[in-house]
Amino acid sequence: HSCAHHDHHHELIVEGLTVHYRDVLAIDQIDLATSCGNRTALIGPNGAGKSTLLKAIAGLLPRTSGTISWRGVPVRKWSREFAYLPQREEIDWTFPITVRGLVEMGRYPHRNDPDASLEKDRAAIQVAMERTDTIHLAGRVIATLSGGEQTRVVMARIMAQESPVVFLDEPTTALDVAHQERVLREIRRLAADGRCVVAVFHDLNAASFYADRIVLMANGEVRAEGTPTRVLHPDLLGSVYRQPMVVQTHPTRGCPLVLTVDEDGGLSPPRSPQM
C-alpha cells in the first residue's frame, strides 16, 4: 500500500478548500499538499479550524468548495485508503467491544483484497498492539480502560488498518508522558514506512518533535507553513496565540522547544488545552 517510489509528486492535494460549519465560515480557501513519507502537523489556537480541516480533507465533512485529490483521483467522500483517529470525546466508549475486537475492525477495509488472508490480518493486529503497548489489554472491554489506554487502543486500530493515508486528531491527548513519546515515535515510523500522515496537535512541542512540516492556522486560514524551525517562531506564535513565547533548541532532539512566558517572567511548557 505504501509508496515505494517516494517521488516528489504530491500525492494528497487540497486546493481552495472552503467549509461552512453550521452556516459559519470555518475553513477559508485552504491549499495543502503532502506526500507519502511526510508528517504534517496542524496547529493553532482553539477555534482555528484544525479539526474541521482534518475532517474535510478526510472526506468526513461536506465542503462548500475546493478539490481534494489522492494520487490524481478526486476524493468526494471517505476513501478506504484513509485511516482516521477522531478526538477522544467523539468516540462512544460505551460500545460493548473488547480491545482485540476493536483493533480487528481496522482490518475490515481489507476484507475484499485479492491477497487477503487470516495470517495477514493476525500479523497486522499483533504488530499494531505490540507497538501501542496494548497486548496485555486484549480481552478487556473498552469501557473499563483509562483514557490513555483507550487512546492507545484506537491508535492500534489505525495502525492495523495499514492505510497509505493516516489522519490523526490530537493523538497524544490523555496519554502519560511515556506513552505520548511512544505514540509520537510510532507516528514517525508510520511515515518512515511510506505513509502520508496528517495530524492535529494541541501540544506545540509534540508537533515540533513529530512533524517535518507544520501548518499554523488561525480563524480558518493558514497563517504560516513550513519546517518546525520556521513556523515555531516566537513572534509568530505570540501573535497567533496572544501569549508571549520563547523558543529554544531542544537539548537532545535539536528541534524547536516552545516555552510560554508567565506573568512573573518564568518559563513553562505551553499548557493544554489553550495550546
Side-chain angles (χ1 to χ4, degrees), residues 54-225:
L54 194 74
K55 283 200 188 88
I57 300 173
L60 296 169
L61 271 186
R63 53 189 183 265
T64 311
S65 60
T67 58
I68 298 162
S69 62
W70 165 242
R71 292 186 176 164
V73 180
V75 178
R76 306 216 190 298
K77 55 184 191 329
W78 180 251
S79 157
R80 64 173 294 240
E81 304 276 278
F82 297 167
Y84 175 80
L85 175 91
Q87 274 184 23
R88 281 206 77 254
E89 51 269 28
E90 292 177 14
I91 299 172
D92 176 11
W93 297 110
T94 60
F95 188 63
I97 188 171
T98 63
V99 165
R100 180 156 182 106
L102 188 80
V103 179
E104 281 173 349
M105 284 170 74
R107 299 303 297 165
Y108 184 70
H110 294 283
R111 67 200 181 284
N112 297 325
D113 290 356
D115 59 348
S117 73
L118 208 54
E119 282 327 285
K120 245 187 174 161
D121 289 347
R122 279 198 187 123
I125 290 162
Q126 180 72 16
V127 166
M129 292 181 76
E130 275 172 10
R131 290 188 180 178
T132 51
D133 188 26
T134 49
I135 295 231
H136 62 291
L137 302 172
R140 294 269 299 276
V141 175
I142 293 289
T144 67
L145 302 178
S146 72
E149 288 169 338
Q150 289 172 340
T151 299
R152 278 150 46 208
V153 170
V154 180
M155 189 72 197
R157 178 181 71 77
I158 297 295
M159 290 168 69
Q161 192 176 322
E162 295 184 315
S163 295
V165 185
V166 181
F167 298 106
L168 307 165
D169 200 347
E170 295 184 18
T172 54
T173 305
L175 297 179
D176 60 44
V177 173
H179 283 109
Q180 183 168 340
E181 286 293 309
R182 184 169 188 147
V183 163
L184 286 170
R185 276 199 304 273
E186 290 309 329
I187 295 171
R188 290 178 67 127
R189 193 178 196 163
L190 284 173
D193 288 344
R195 298 200 172 22
C196 167
V197 192
V198 183
V200 168
F201 284 101
H202 251 12
D203 180 335
L204 300 180
N205 289 310
S208 179
F209 172 50
Y210 146 79
D212 43 42
R213 189 171 60 134
I214 294 184
V215 176
L216 174 62
M217 295 180 66
N219 303 320
E221 298 177 341
V222 172
R223 282 290 301 274
E225 64 175 294

Side-chain angles (χ1 to χ4, degrees), residues 2-43:
S2 57
C3 334
H5 46 276
H6 274 293
D7 57 20
H8 294 294
H9 303 309
H10 286 306
E11 282 136 325
L12 182 66
I13 299 174
V14 177
E15 291 177 293
L17 185 67
T18 300
V19 177
H20 285 80
Y21 194 60
R22 298 189 178 126
D23 294 331
V24 177
L25 179 64
I27 295 293
D28 191 13
Q29 290 287 327
I30 283 188
D31 298 329
L32 203 74
T34 184
S35 311
C36 291
N38 287 134
R39 307 182 303 270
T40 302
L42 307 179
I43 63 168

Side-chain angles (χ1 to χ4, degrees), residues 205 208 232 234 246-251 254-259 267:
N205 289 310
S208 179
L232 299 177
V246 167
V247 180
Q248 300 181 331
T249 301
H250 192 288
C255 63
L257 175 66
V258 182
L259 301 165
L267 297 178

